[in-house]
Amino acid sequence: MKQLEKIYEGKAKQIYRTEDENLIIMHYKDDATAYNGIKKAQIKEKGTLNNKISTIIYKYLIAKGIPTHYIETINDCDQLCKKVTIFPLEVICRNYVAGSMSKRLGIPEGTKPENVIFEICYKNDTLGDPLINDHHAVALKAATYDELKEIYKLTSEINEYLKELFSKVGIILVDFKIEFGKTFDGKIVLADEISPDTARLWDEKTHDKLDKDRFRRDLGHVTEAYQEIYKRLGSL
Ligand code: 5GP
């Protein structure tokens, strides 16, 4: 599939048009940002590793019956995907308390709540992706109540499948952020990447962080952590 002009550039990825109006090429960059773009760096091999990790995860979720935008991985940094209209929502799912939830509610990081926690944030860089609720999302025309119902159902299923996948390789899925889009025929599908950039992944035994918190919190060995996730998932 021939790559045509760039139609979007985000913090970690670029999107290109292709000869087929319903397909795009998603390019993974080595760029890393945190705190709404305030902290920036290049992380060696990050694009390639996230592409490979996300590929394994998407293939696994597709095999479980989750509808996604993924078609195929073309090379080290690029995937061919269905073109979708992204819902301007970040859907966050938490199995353990960490990050912004820990700070906001004063609950120690690593606490395991009895329930799974779902959050939505409004994707808007100027506003810093604020946490919103379903009623805000509907008022903002980001999604309808029916669409939100479907999005939460899929997120819950994805969480159960991903917890199972990561536990097989000795990793705790602490939390993750996903995005959804709508294809030209109106189907809601999982879109964007699932990688250590978008999920908190802790080693089951040591609780070592094997994700982007190594970059956010200056813990070092970022590439090594992503390599470890790829190695473990690749061993399945
Ligand atoms: P928190 O709200 O605690 O910062 O993030 C919760 C989860 O969602 C973490 O796994 C984090 O990596 C992911 N996440 C939240 N917002 C973003 C974002 O804007 N970009 C990326 N890559 N991940 C995010």
Side-chain angles (χ1 to χ4, degrees), residues 94-186:
R94 301 179 187 272
N95 297 306
Y96 289 79
V97 177
S100 69
M101 180 178 171
S102 167
K103 273 207 198 88
R104 197 171 54 246
L105 301 180
I107 305 170
E109 201 160 71
T111 305
K112 183 160 177 30
E114 277 178 26
N115 52 325
V116 176
I117 294 155
F118 299 92
E119 294 174 355
I120 50 173
C121 294
Y122 182 43
K123 260 169 77 85
N124 183 311
D125 283 342
T126 318
L127 299 174
D129 300 338
L131 179 67
I132 58 170
N133 66 26
D134 290 12
H135 310 291
H136 295 125
V138 172
L140 287 161
K141 298 202 178 341
T144 65
Y145 284 111
D146 281 347
E147 286 166 344
L148 288 168
K149 198 170 155 200
E150 174 73 4
I151 284 170
Y152 286 122
K153 180 184 141 274
L154 287 170
T155 304
S156 173
E157 288 171 12
I158 290 165
N159 183 41
E160 292 309 314
Y161 293 136
L162 291 186
K163 270 197 298 190
E164 193 186 312
L165 176 72
F166 282 109
S167 81
K168 281 187 198 156
V169 293
I171 286 169
I172 300 171
L173 177 63
V174 174
D175 60 26
F176 61 91
K177 182 267 299 182
I178 47 180
E179 296 187 20
F180 290 90
K182 232 186 209 185
T183 55
F184 74 96
D185 52 357

Side-chain angles (χ1 to χ4, degrees), residues 95 159 189 197 210:
N95 297 306
N159 183 41
V189 297
D197 263 16
L210 300 171

Side-chain angles (χ1 to χ4, degrees), residues 11-12 31-35 39 43 46 50 195-201 209-219 222 225-226:
K11 294 180 196 119
D31 298 357
T33 64
Y35 310 116
K39 187 177 161 95
I43 297 172
K46 184 175 83 79
N50 279 351
S195 72
D197 263 16
T198 61
R200 287 197 171 91
L201 305 167
K209 298 182 197 312
L210 300 171
D211 57 62
K212 195 174 163 188
D213 273 350
R214 300 208 71 84
F215 167 69
R216 294 187 186 104
R217 303 179 188 189
D218 293 321
L219 301 174
V222 185
Y226 284 46

